[in-house]
Amino acid sequence: AANVSKLQTAWAFKVRPEGGGGAVSSATPIAVDGVLYLPVGNAVVAMDGATGQEIWRHPVTGGAARRLVTWWPGDKDHAPRIFYSTGKTIDALDARTGQPVAGFGEGGAITLDVPYNSPPTVYRNVLAIGANTAEDPIGPPGDSRAFDAVTGKKLWQFHTVPQPGEPGHDTWLNDGWKGRSGTNVWNWWMTVDDRTG
């Protein structure tokens, strides 16, 4: 509080897409080793956190990336990655270059059966996502899903409305479980308890 009146702008970065219009970023950058990563609607950018100098810019096609990106630190065989979502896809970029990761899904992206407009929550080599379904009784399932961070392969799907043979299915009377939607994780992020997994 003592120095607020003396603070001055160190640098600024324009987040509105070039040419105006389009989806404007509603994200806070993530910072890793002095580099900031940020979605700006029609692109994902990496910039020097000290100077604001752009390091790389990856153009986004087939939708917009405006809510967060996530970091995967890589492993002994794979470089660190940045993940973002257009709602229809989860895309993987090489964190150093901004180039799509060829070995992830098809050409660096996986297609989602139910949209999710935020990047995955990362836990070890697992990418967990929710579902942006409407709050309608009937429609696409609001299931949470998980994918392999290296390959993009689907690992599991948690049925938020229990299906036949699953615990809790018997509480949905008169076939009320059929086609049920709206029971979802639609928020733009989830958290993981690292100690319990």
Side-chain angles (χ1 to χ4, degrees):
N3 72 341
V4 170
S5 64
K6 300 172 186 165
L7 295 178
Q8 296 186 22
T9 302
W11 56 265
F13 185 86
K14 183 179 178 181
V15 297
R16 181 175 292 281
E18 291 299 323
V24 178
S25 177
S26 58
T28 300
I30 61 170
V32 182
D33 296 331
V35 178
L36 302 180
Y37 301 92
L38 177 70
V40 292
N42 63 357
V44 174
V45 296
M47 64 189 90
D48 185 296
T51 67
Q53 183 71 37
E54 196 170 299
I55 298 170
W56 54 254
R57 175 178 289 254
H58 169 77
V60 172
T61 58
R66 41 187 304 257
R67 292 191 177 99
L68 312 176
V69 294
T70 50
W71 165 270
W72 178 66
D75 57 27
K76 64 181 178 66
D77 298 316
H78 302 91
R81 296 177 181 178
I82 292 293
F83 291 97
Y84 72 91
S85 175
T86 64
K88 303 171 192 169
T89 62
I90 298 290
D91 294 70
L93 303 177
D94 184 305
R96 294 177 294 203
T97 66
Q99 294 300 308
V101 177
F104 182 82
E106 293 185 21
I110 55 174
T111 302
L112 302 176
D113 52 350
V114 177
Y116 187 60
N117 290 304
S118 195
T121 297
V122 177
Y123 175 69
R124 298 183 182 171
N125 285 0
V126 176
L127 310 175
I129 65 170
N132 292 129
T133 56
E135 299 300 326
D136 296 327
I138 303 298
D143 298 346
S144 295
R145 297 151 284 169
F147 302 89
D148 185 286
V150 174
T151 65
K153 178 183 176 183
K154 190 175 191 180
L155 300 175
W156 51 257
Q157 180 165 338
F158 175 79
H159 297 128
T160 56
V161 175
Q163 302 299 294
E166 295 178 346
H169 175 73
D170 58 340
T171 66
W172 290 80
L173 304 178
N174 303 319
D175 289 333
W177 60 276
K178 287 186 176 178
R180 186 66 61 179
S181 185
T183 50
N184 53 17
V185 177
W186 64 266
N187 204 4
W188 311 130
W189 60 85
M190 293 182 278
T191 57
V192 175
D193 185 325
D194 192 62
R195 184 177 58 83
T196 64

